[in-house]
Amino acid sequence: MKRRMAKDTLTGWSMKAAVLFANLLVFLVALGLLYKARPILASKSLGHLLTSSSWHPLKGEFGFYPFIVGTVEATLLSMVLAVPMCLLAAIYLAEYAPRRLRESAHIVIDLMAGIPSVIYGLFGIIVVVPIVREIGLALGKQNTGYTLLSGGVILAIMVAPVIISVTMEVLRSVPAEARETALALGITRWAAIKHVVLRHSMHGVLSAIVLGFARAFGETIAVMMVIGNVARIPRSVFDPAYPLPALIANNYGEMMSVPLYDSALMLAALILLLVVGGFHLVAHVILYRIEKRW
Amino acid sequence: MRRQIIEEKIFKALMIASLATVFLALLAIIVIIVARGAKAMSIDMIIKLPEGGYYLGKGGGVANAIVGSLLLTGGASIISLALALPIAFALQREYIPRRIARVTRLALDVLWGTPSIVYGAFGFVIMVYLGIGASLLGGIIALSLLMLPIMTRAMEEIIRMVPMQLKEISYSLGTTRLETTFSVVLRQALPGVCTAAMLAFGRGIGDAASILFTAGYTDSIPQALDEPVASLPLAVFFQILTPLPAVQDRAYASALILLLVVLLVNLVARLLSARFSRNIIK
Amino acid sequence: MPHISIQNLNVFYGKQPALRDITVDIPDHKITAIIGPSGCGKTTLLKSLNRLTDLYDEVGTNGQVLIDGDDINGPKANVLELRKKLGYLSQRPFPLPMSIYDNITFGPRIHRMKRLKSLSRLGDFIRLHQVENFDLEQALEEGARKKKGASDLLVEFYLRLAGLWDEVKDRLGAPASRLSIGQQQRLALARTLAVEPEIILADEPTSALDPLSATLIERQFQALKQNYSIIIVTHILRQARRIADYVLFMYLGELVEYGPAEEIFHAPKDPRTKAYLSGEIS
């Protein structure tokens, strides 16, 4: 009996230690990156680093502005493309679709979420890039196809499973009574969705979009395969761009030989962590509230 | 009234079109990768290492990347599992107060959403600290960080669904938390736990950004933990960047292998969960 | 001194009182029924006897529950021993996620009970009980020839004691979840008895069952009360009238009246008891 109790206590404590580790991990990652980013933060002010457009590592100039603009624009573009379509698809699946279709859609969405980034990137190179180039040329824009728009399209496809699945869950958590009360007034299903269901689940839908945004913001490989990677602020969607994650991924080879270079890249990783982590924090707190888990 | 009905019809058409677009996108991706990959696909691609002049279009295959990916993801799975199971079990109400469990869940959600390139960068920081270079061990560390929250969160969701009454019955027989957890909760949650592990494996094996500077790349199969290791996603990535069409075709073939592996993992996960559900209480 | 003596027991859910100042002695070797309208604290009272309430961190307790003279909430109390001594049957039977056979041996195995291994000890123990149509000596002889003879006999004995043996003897290896719900409840009874409790707590044990299975369970209880003290929570008045020797009537967390069944049913003193028995409140 004593041995059983001792075993239980011992494992109990080690399991709690593992929980503590999980909670500390977020801070550990942030602190580790901050530690490596300190040299560059010591040499230049953060404000200067974030707003300067001059990226010349050999001269010791590390202006993140074009990369930040590249990330934000590619992400926003993907949101513009993905959000309306994903919301409509999710509403259909949650409100209109027969059960069989909804279940098979779940499988398709899981599958999409599980496809590796490189494969999305390859798809971008084979299909999206040539189409974008033709469209650009038709509109009189000289371009290679490796552009902001291609990046946006690929990101839009990649965030679709996130937005659709979260939105579906949120919509399905709206109580049936809310729908029935509205329908009992003799309005169409769509009107009930528009006026009752969506109003009920606005916060949740917003969280779904935020989660999609965060996913796109941090995506690396697929985007850098199609977006061109030129460190200049794009003037149109047919110009190449250079997002932050791609900056980190592309330069790891040289970073050890140039002073402050590694520090600058770690700072970029820290920025990504803070932005994406912040978005996730907000979105999940809202979603927990909806599930009444707080 | 008529306006309402027309509006509904229009929106319904838009919804169906949207859903069809999403489905078609997935279909297009699979069809195109399969079609392009099949061209350069051969048994050599799977069983042979890259030979001299492979990157100029000569003979060989990507066995180094296949084995490397399995080593990396296998190793990372073991580490993640060793941490994920205790954490997921500890989030039960017998172990920690529900308030702390909620905070932990939130922390895991944030970790789940953290971009893999960040784990790559952090893995690199750890490697510099430990004084090791790009290697199997480095890749495993970075990949474990990526897989841990996915595995833990998925397992925890499953474990939370084990009915409290079932646990009450086990406790009423005079069992400790550990005995109930292992003999009853784990058994009841086993199908879900396996699925969660496979889900994390699938995510891990397809990820490139976390191992880009932690695992390195090599044409051979590593013999020790401190040697660099190749991987399928990076094989795709590096081969597509070469200017030679013959090598690019191999990128597609490698991508096809990767896609098949991911689909296979998905399938196995579903089968496993069916296999283990014999004793489950519904 | 009776097995169970409850003195000034108060139980709270958060700040909400669930049980108010309960004081009562439970007679040994009798069937004691706790009756009262739903939500009056019957189940809470039952669960605070074997400290299942511990599982919920929002539940607070003060006052004393003495079992064989020891305060179960005292510093020296051993919750595992306590729960072993007080068997528990839940409202809905949850078989453990394992085979029928393992459901019975689970408790003895966890508690490393000697009878699981030693045929002679098991035989001595079984002789203390009366089991219908059971030739113990022949079973012992057969058991001696088998490798797991003791554990096989233990399973057979408890399944016979719970009146389930004849229905399941040919499929002991089958998952317990495949049994009908009435069979599952009798399996739960056998599983509970297998850890050799002295007291059986039953929380509306027949409410999920069909009338036939319910009768079977009631009959088992009648037979078992020679060896065990039984406390049964029930909201079915007729059931209490059929099987109870002693009755506790609870209302809104208070113990309103208690005494021998005859007295409570035929000459209730408190107007609330009268109202409940006549069906005015339910």
Side-chain angles (χ1 to χ4, degrees), chain B:
Chain B
M1 198 64 222
R2 269 196 54 154
R3 255 192 56 195
Q4 258 196 51
I5 293 172
I6 292 170
E7 189 185 318
E8 169 155 50
K9 283 212 169 112
I10 293 172
F11 270 95
K12 219 166 153 182
L14 282 174
M15 287 179 208
I16 294 173
S18 303
L19 187 63
T21 312
V22 175
F23 279 24
L24 276 178
L26 177 71
L27 195 68
I29 290 168
I30 293 179
V31 167
I32 282 168
I33 296 296
V34 170
R36 288 294 295 261
K39 251 200 322 191
M41 194 58 153
S42 66
I43 199 77
D44 278 8
M45 273 304 284
I46 298 172
I47 59 165
K48 283 199 176 158
L49 296 176
E51 288 164 6
Y54 172 83
Y55 298 101
L56 298 169
K58 295 221 178 93
V62 288
N64 59 327
I66 298 173
V67 175
S69 265
L70 292 177
L71 287 174
L72 277 167
T73 321
S77 295
I78 292 170
I79 294 183
S80 315
L81 195 62
L83 275 165
L85 259 187
I87 296 173
F89 281 137
L91 293 178
Q92 299 177 97
R93 61 194 305 163
E94 298 94 301
Y95 282 99
I96 58 173
R98 277 181 298 169
R99 209 157 34 89
I100 298 179
R102 282 195 288 259
V103 172
T104 309
R105 244 173 248 140
L106 188 60
L108 287 167
D109 281 336
V110 171
L111 285 171
W112 183 325
T114 299
S116 60
I117 188 81
V118 172
Y119 287 119
F122 180 67
F124 179 77
V125 173
I126 297 181
M127 281 161 47
V128 171
Y129 181 77
L130 296 176
I132 52 177
S135 60
L136 181 54
L137 180 63
I140 287 178
I141 293 175
L143 217 47
S144 310
L145 291 171
L146 177 84
M147 288 165 65
L148 176 67
I150 301 176
M151 218 187 252
T152 315
R153 202 63 179 78
M155 285 181 183
E156 192 266 332
E157 290 279 346
I158 298 292
I159 288 170
R160 200 149 33 125
M161 292 202 311
V162 174
M164 197 62 201
Q165 295 103 306
L166 180 61
K167 292 203 261 175
E168 278 187 355
I169 283 176
S170 174
Y171 284 118
S172 71
L173 292 171
T175 57
T176 62
R177 296 174 300 180
L178 183 67
E179 288 155 357
T180 294
T181 297
F182 268 86
S183 307
V184 177
V185 178
L186 180 58
R187 262 171 196 263
Q188 176 77 7
L190 198 58
V193 165
C194 291
T195 311
M198 297 301 274
L199 171 74
F201 187 93
R203 290 293 160 84
I205 204 163
D207 194 72
S210 65
I211 51 174
L212 194 55
F213 27 102
T214 51
Y217 201 86
T218 168
D219 283 353
S220 55
I221 290 168
Q223 303 298 317
L225 276 175
D226 61 352
E227 289 176 25
V229 59
S231 53
L232 272 175
L234 293 186
V236 177
F237 185 63
F238 291 141
Q239 291 176 103
I240 196 69
L241 291 181
T242 59
L244 293 174
V247 181
Q248 286 184 355
D249 280 345
R250 285 177 178 164
Y252 298 122
S254 312
L256 177 57
I257 298 173
L258 179 59
L259 186 66
L260 290 177
V261 170
V262 171
L263 293 181
L264 187 72
V265 168
N266 254 299
L267 188 72
V268 170
R270 278 168 207 277
L271 290 181
L272 268 185
S273 87
R275 166 81 182 74
F276 280 122
S277 41
R278 205 174 104 94
N279 277 316
I280 288 285
I281 312 303
K282 298 254 163 56

